[in-house]
Amino acid sequence: MEKPLIAGLLIIIVFLIITPCFIWINNRFNNYEEFDELEESALVILRIKKQLLHELLNWVKDNNLNAKQIQERLMVSPKRAADIIYQRIDQFTVDSLTNFVLRTGKTVTVTIRDK
């Protein structure tokens, strides 16, 4: 009976020591204002990526291009061409999408405004 009792007490002591550590870590790293800013910036980036990908898709439709033609004209891999066709926005960076749009002969303009 002594071994289970000692093991139980050890578990309780460890739990009592670790729980405040978890609470401190949770409070220390859950700054919700930072999350709001992160969410806002992530939404802005998502909107930019969506607009760039939409321009690419319009270019594909306007020129009636298939996957092979997209690969040749944009100098991309077959996987990248499929990502464009199926609008897999999570597979692209703003930088790569901007480069692709520029390769279509279009220009990209960035506008920054005060809130």
Side-chain angles (χ1 to χ4, degrees), residues 32-77:
Y32 295 108
E33 291 174 4
E34 288 179 15
F35 284 128
D36 289 342
E37 289 175 17
L38 178 63
E39 288 175 11
E40 184 179 341
S41 66
L43 286 173
V44 169
I45 290 170
L46 188 60
R47 273 189 236 118
I48 293 168
K49 287 167 69 172
K50 184 178 176 183
Q51 186 176 2
L52 290 166
L53 194 54
H54 181 71
E55 286 299 321
L56 274 175
L57 196 60
N58 283 342
W59 173 76
V60 168
K61 287 179 181 178
D62 291 345
N63 293 293
N64 224 8
L65 302 175
N66 60 29
K68 183 72 174 166
Q69 293 168 324
I70 294 169
Q71 290 173 50
E72 292 169 358
R73 293 190 186 186
L74 295 181
M75 298 175 282
V76 295
S77 67

Side-chain angles (χ1 to χ4, degrees), residues 2 17 50 60 86-87 92 109:
E2 287 184 21
I17 292 171
K50 184 178 176 183
V60 168
Y86 296 112
Q87 298 184 358
F92 298 102
T109 305

Side-chain angles (χ1 to χ4, degrees), residues 1-9:
M1 275 277 223
E2 287 184 21
K3 286 185 179 179
L5 182 62
I6 292 173
L9 287 173

